[in-house]
Amino acid sequence: MSWNEQMEQATKAWTDLQRTWWERWMPAAGETAGTGDGLWSQWLEGWRRQMARSLETWARGRPGLPPQVVRSLFAGEEVFFRFVAFVSQMLQSLAPQIEAGEDWVDLLRRYVDQIKKDLEENPLRWLPTAQGTATVAAELPGLWRLWATEAQKMMAPWMESTREAGGHLGEAMAGDRRAVLKMMNVFWDTYESTLGRFLAAPAIGYTREFQEKAARAYETWVDVQRAQAEFQAEVTNAGVRAMETLLRELVERAEKGKPVTSARQLFDLWVSCAEKAYFEVASTESFAEIQGRFVNAAMHYRVHERQIVEAFARTLHLPTRTELDDAYRHMHELRREVKALRRELDALREARAAQETGPKKPTVGARRRGRAKAAGAGKTTANEAQTEPTAPAEAGPKQEG
Amino acid sequence: MFPIQITPDEAMREAVDFHRKLVRGLDSIVDIREIDVAPTPKEVVYREDDVVLYHYLPRRKRPCKVPVLIVYALVNRPYMVDIQEDRSMVRNLLEQGMDLYLIDWGYPNRAERWLTLDDYINGYIHSCVEVIKRRHGLDRINLLGICQGGTFSLCYTALHPESIQNLITMVTPVDFHVKDGLLNIWSQHLDVDTMVEAFGNVPGEFMNWGFLMLKPWQLMVQKYVGFVSVLDDEENLRSFLRMEKWIFDSPDQAGEAFREFIKEFYQGNKLIRGEVELGGRRVDLKNITMPVLNIFANEDHLVPPSSSKALEKVVGTQDFTTLSFPGGHIGIYVSSRSQRELAPTIARWVKERV
């Protein structure tokens, strides 16, 4: 199948999905904020599946296409679509009341309040659930995902609570506003009441040292989860503010008689509001502290993780990161020393050569300044007065050209 | 008037159009196999460890007698100043008759984890300056430092004023405690000792994460939505991809140098107080008595203008010129206006002082 045919097929499938969605959506007119989101989610999910299938076929035999470019593009598109969905839903919800002559500013404010409440109660609701946006969102805490994957190996005794928490994650995706908190609470409660207490106790026996390391590593992993949740809450806080900023901007536009006339225009306005609101939150001391705690917790975890890995490496007669770093440090110190000695040697050689051949010919700059001084022209700085033609203190091993 | 005049079917049509453009445009990306950057011809004149000193081939028969050494930041790659033929500060300066050198710091590997700021400034920069002096038979050259490279250039010039004829600083952080930059605020709460212990070298991806978090919606979402509109224009598409390459072509940061830079400069703000020490010597900005041209971007979100402007009050020179340029941290190299105005301004300023 040619690319064009595939594209046509994908577009047709997508259009069909839209029609289906549209038909289902229309009866939902007048729903309050949020309650109709399930339909959009289904539509987006359907679209995503279609696109994934189509792209997978298409990308075969096209090695020149960087996967991250495609991911970023489709992630961007999905965010845009979700935004269009949100706006359409909002308008659909408000239109009858506006037409009935209600004050739209008040209506919008109430709508935004509803969303804020939604966000506060269920932050995951506005986080991406489909693969595309997940890619974008994963960039934020994505740095830690590899470590988190590794850390899951230490989670074996905790599978039960993880499964339970996972159930709540499912609830969260399905729209239960309290699910995220439940999820975190299950995990922390279990940890605090059992392993947390156990880990805090001193280890004993032949494997004491290793136990101790594993315990500390696990504790730091828990710290990372806590700090990440706290950080995510702050980012959500910025999202709440963004809605308020958007509302203010819309009111201003209405007053100036400059309505927004396209989804893209509204999307750009929303991004600009989101960025402004984010900056306000991100430039506070409390955000910096929370972000710092998140990053620092992750770093502590990483250090502890390495200690465990190194304990295993030693048992397998493998060199460790610490040992290699130590070797590199010695190499670095030696290199510095060699360079310093070489500079000194070069300077001595040049001094001796100068003694043997008489005074060194001045460089162009020195000659020019000499002439200027002789003529009594220009301002002479302290540096110039001190300048003598210096012996080149070249340090490097190779000079080309 | 209700401020949103969009009907649901129009919104849907817009989404469908968007999607169609995106899918069709993917073929254009596939056709671009190579993303070419740094087109201006140059030669290697010196190597030390992984550091390379380049000399750009002059574009005028009798270039300026005193060459300019460009010192770029350790963060990201220096080809931003020569990203493509029609957006190249390097090419524009060569056209103006400048003789240019550039230090390429390379990609530090784990063995370079122990490199310090002293190694970079009193080591590599000093070696490169000496090589250029020797090649041209000069005892002073011009130095042009960019961003963190500007901070390094300030330190170098303060420690070796006898080697520098004129100093140009571009988008250079000087006061690290101004409150209008997120990096300044965020860095105060970083436990950089643990970070370096954990990472060794600080990964480029981590640095990128920090930079993207400065404007997450613009840089991670809006940019790619906007990208769809250039997919059918090959030249714009290539420019976009070059910029993407540059953004994500991020070398790791040598651990010790990173630790020092965060602690001494960002957290301690010691440069402006004259408390930085390198190689056992204090960096006193009052030693900078040669002419200084300080260029900043007035919408810079990485290095706020207030941070750069602080330089004027702390250097010892009587010949201080400030140039405020419209745009952001990157726009200063690639915007159309900068192509027309920046290089001639720098060249004129230099030529009046050599």
Side-chain angles (χ1 to χ4, degrees):
Chain A
M1 192 187 290
S2 73
W3 159 240
N4 280 340
E5 284 167 339
Q6 285 177 46
M7 196 199 72
E8 288 303 325
Q9 193 184 61
T11 309
K12 181 179 178 309
W14 189 71
T15 313
D16 289 346
L17 270 170
Q18 288 167 55
R19 196 171 50 247
T20 313
W21 169 82
W22 197 250
E23 284 159 2
R24 292 183 64 185
W25 185 59
M26 289 310 284
E31 285 180 340
T32 54
T35 52
D37 188 56
L39 295 174
W40 267 107
S41 299
Q42 284 173 32
W43 171 74
L44 281 166
E45 187 52 27
W47 164 80
R48 190 187 64 74
R49 276 201 303 272
Q50 288 292 331
M51 282 319 305
R53 261 203 299 275
S54 164
L55 270 177
E56 196 189 326
T57 318
W58 176 69
R60 272 186 226 133
R62 286 178 169 81
L65 187 68
Q68 70 273 22
V69 171
V70 179
R71 272 203 301 275
S72 296
L73 285 172
F74 279 89
E77 181 185 41
E78 193 173 338
V79 172
F80 181 55
F81 282 1
R82 287 175 72 84
F83 180 75
V84 172
F86 161 71
V87 171
S88 303
Q89 196 175 323
M90 178 182 77
L91 291 176
Q92 190 70 26
S93 170
L94 298 180
Q97 295 161 76
I98 293 169
E99 277 174 22
E102 282 193 48
D103 176 13
W104 66 263
V105 177
D106 188 48
L107 279 172
L108 267 184
R109 184 162 291 129
R110 271 189 280 152
Y111 195 87
V112 167
D113 285 345
Q114 175 65 41
I115 292 166
K116 279 164 60 181
K117 200 168 158 223
D118 230 22
L119 271 169
E120 281 156 5
E121 289 180 353
N122 182 5
L124 272 193
R125 179 180 177 76
W126 297 90
L127 284 179
T129 53
Q131 194 180 357
T133 22
T135 308
V136 172
E139 300 293 342
L140 305 180
L143 188 64
W144 327 118
R145 66 181 180 274
L146 277 179
W147 305 339
T149 308
E150 284 302 309
Q152 279 169 11
K153 291 170 191 165
M154 290 190 283
M155 285 282 288
W158 290 87
M159 287 313 288
E160 193 49 44
S161 41
T162 305
R163 263 197 296 277
E164 197 184 337
H168 291 309
L169 181 66
E171 290 168 23
M173 299 304 181
D176 182 342
R177 295 171 177 172
R178 299 271 174 199
V180 182
L181 282 178
K182 279 197 253 175
M183 189 173 71
M184 296 308 292
N185 285 341
V186 163
F187 183 75
W188 286 338
D189 286 352
T190 316
Y191 168 76
E192 297 287 3
S193 62
T194 56
L195 190 59
R197 287 173 62 198
F198 171 73
L199 291 177
I204 52 169
Y206 177 67
T207 58
R208 204 210 86 86
E209 286 307 304
F210 183 78
Q211 282 178 51
E212 183 82 19
K213 284 188 174 69
R216 296 290 87 81
Y218 192 82
E219 279 181 336
T220 54
W221 187 82
V222 172
D223 287 343
V224 174
Q225 304 309 307
R226 280 186 173 139
Q228 186 173 358
E230 202 184 5
F231 177 65
Q232 190 59 60
E234 276 299 289
V235 174
T236 304
N237 181 19
V240 171
R241 285 196 188 203
M243 296 308 297
E244 293 168 347
T245 314
L246 180 64
L247 180 60
R248 275 201 304 274
E249 291 277 343
L250 287 173
V251 171
E252 270 178 34
R253 277 178 168 261
E255 284 168 359
K256 288 178 188 163
K258 288 182 180 171
V260 175
T261 53
S262 73
R264 179 62 202 276
Q265 213 182 345
L266 187 57
F267 177 76
D268 288 343
L269 182 65
W270 171 64
V271 167
S272 134
C273 291
E275 215 67 277
K276 254 188 237 171
Y278 174 78
F279 182 82
E280 280 170 22
V281 170
S283 55
T284 61
E285 197 61 23
S286 77
F287 182 92
E289 277 176 29
I290 287 166
Q291 183 178 250
R293 269 204 292 279
F294 175 35
V295 173
N296 297 340
M299 295 303 139
H300 277 288
Y301 167 69
R302 184 82 170 149
V303 170
H304 283 279
E305 180 196 62
R306 192 177 67 201
Q307 287 174 0
I308 292 179
V309 172
E310 290 193 353
F312 280 113
R314 273 191 289 274
T315 64
L316 296 169
H317 311 288
L318 293 172
T320 64
R321 178 80 272 163
T322 304
E323 288 165 351
L324 277 174
D325 274 347
D326 213 29
Y328 288 144
R329 187 167 55 82
H330 288 305
M331 277 167 54
H332 175 75
E333 284 164 0
L334 282 171
R335 195 159 60 178
R336 277 177 69 104
E337 218 171 307
V338 169
K339 284 182 183 183
L341 289 170
R342 187 178 288 153
R343 278 200 189 104
E344 219 169 297
L345 188 63
D346 286 346
L348 286 171
R349 279 186 182 143
E350 291 211 11
R352 199 175 70 179
Q355 271 180 351
E356 286 170 2
T357 59
K360 192 184 164 192
K361 198 178 164 189
T363 58
V364 174
R367 280 199 300 272
R368 193 163 49 239
R369 275 195 310 284
R371 282 199 298 274
K373 276 184 200 171
K379 179 180 157 191
T380 307
T381 66
N383 294 324
E384 282 171 339
Q386 288 164 7
T387 301
E388 291 296 330
T390 50
E394 191 187 318
K398 279 184 262 173
Q399 185 176 344
E400 302 176 29
Chain B
M1 177 197 275
F2 189 64
I4 306 170
Q5 301 290 328
I6 313 167
T7 59
D9 56 329
E10 279 168 357
M12 186 55 77
R13 199 173 303 123
E14 220 177 315
V16 173
D17 284 348
F18 182 92
H19 178 70
R20 202 165 279 145
K21 268 189 190 171
L22 170 59
V23 175
R24 285 199 171 128
L26 284 173
D27 261 347
S28 314
I29 300 182
V30 176
D31 291 340
I32 297 175
R33 296 277 165 169
E34 292 287 323
I35 303 172
D36 53 324
V37 290
T40 307
K42 56 186 183 294
E43 58 182 345
V44 175
V45 292
Y46 175 71
R47 284 182 196 274
E48 184 177 334
D49 306 328
D50 289 336
V51 173
V52 179
L53 176 65
Y54 287 106
H55 178 228
Y56 287 97
L57 304 185
R59 294 181 72 85
R60 290 279 173 269
K61 272 191 178 170
R62 293 172 61 83
C64 183
K65 282 177 196 162
V66 184
V68 176
L69 170 62
I70 299 174
V71 180
Y72 199 78
L74 301 177
V75 179
N76 285 105
R77 303 282 295 140
Y79 57 77
M80 173 44 69
V81 293
D82 185 31
I83 192 121
Q84 63 188 52
E85 217 161 273
D86 59 346
R87 289 177 197 275
S88 168
M89 189 178 89
V90 163
R91 189 185 169 96
N92 294 336
L93 284 169
L94 293 173
E95 291 288 358
Q96 294 293 321
M98 294 284 100
D99 196 1
L100 292 182
Y101 288 81
L102 177 127
I103 301 177
D104 182 342
W105 302 114
Y107 296 83
N109 60 33
R110 188 72 184 217
E112 267 114 16
R113 178 234 160 112
W114 301 100
L115 283 174
T116 61
L117 291 182
D118 182 36
D119 293 317
Y120 277 108
I121 294 167
N122 287 320
Y124 297 132
I125 295 181
H126 186 64
S127 298
C128 291
V129 169
E130 291 299 318
V131 167
I132 299 168
K133 280 163 60 179
R134 176 179 280 187
R135 277 171 64 93
H136 291 261
L138 293 168
D139 55 7
R140 291 174 186 223
I141 63 163
N142 300 312
L143 201 55
L144 192 166
I146 294 172
C147 188
Q148 184 191 34
T151 312
F152 286 7
S153 299
L154 287 169
C155 294
Y156 180 79
T157 308
L159 292 171
H160 306 269
E162 70 284 352
S163 291
I164 303 302
Q165 173 105 20
N166 297 295
L167 174 65
I168 303 154
T169 48
M170 281 181 78
V171 290
T172 293
V174 178
D175 184 348
F176 291 81
H177 280 186
V178 294
K179 291 294 179 197
D180 42 355
L182 291 183
L183 288 180
N184 298 359
I185 298 168
W186 293 354
S187 59
Q188 302 306 314
H189 296 276
L190 284 186
D191 177 356
V192 71
D193 289 329
T194 306
M195 184 178 284
V196 173
E197 192 186 351
F199 279 138
N201 286 343
V202 179
E205 290 85 357
F206 177 83
M207 304 294 292
N208 267 332
W209 178 77
F211 295 135
L212 291 176
M213 283 299 287
L214 296 172
K215 288 191 173 190
W217 291 105
Q218 279 181 29
L219 300 177
M220 285 194 271
V221 179
Q222 192 183 34
K223 184 175 71 172
Y224 297 105
V225 171
F227 178 43
V228 171
S229 59
V230 303
L231 274 170
D232 54 356
D233 179 330
E234 194 186 325
E235 267 319 296
N236 278 334
L237 179 58
R238 281 182 184 276
S239 297
F240 183 93
L241 293 174
R242 284 186 194 106
M243 197 58 83
E244 280 291 279
K245 176 183 167 68
W246 178 80
I247 289 168
F248 296 103
D249 185 3
S250 312
D252 295 347
Q253 302 296 297
E256 289 310 303
F258 182 82
R259 184 204 308 265
E260 285 178 80
F261 198 65
I262 296 294
K263 284 179 104 164
E264 302 291 299
F265 292 76
Y266 271 98
Q267 293 178 343
N269 203 22
K270 290 184 179 176
L271 177 68
I272 203 164
R273 296 186 190 136
E275 293 169 6
V276 168
E277 274 199 20
L278 292 171
R281 293 172 62 200
R282 192 170 70 86
V283 175
D284 184 355
L285 296 178
K286 292 283 178 213
N287 289 343
I288 299 179
T289 52
M290 67 293 295
V292 176
L293 171 61
N294 188 32
I295 305 167
F296 60 87
N298 55 19
E299 287 161 40
D300 195 332
H301 72 291
L302 289 166
V303 178
S306 54
S307 175
S308 299
K309 284 196 270 188
L311 182 62
E312 185 168 8
K313 290 185 178 160
V314 290
V315 285
T317 184
Q318 300 298 309
D319 182 357
F320 191 94
T321 310
T322 298
L323 176 62
S324 160
F325 209 82
H329 194 74
I330 305 305
I332 200 165
Y333 316 110
V334 295
S335 75
S336 306
R337 185 168 175 177
S338 76
Q339 304 313 306
R340 290 191 307 272
E341 297 177 13
L342 189 62
T345 308
I346 294 174
R348 196 167 44 245
W349 184 87
V350 170
K351 285 174 188 170
E352 285 166 2
R353 289 164 176 81
V354 294

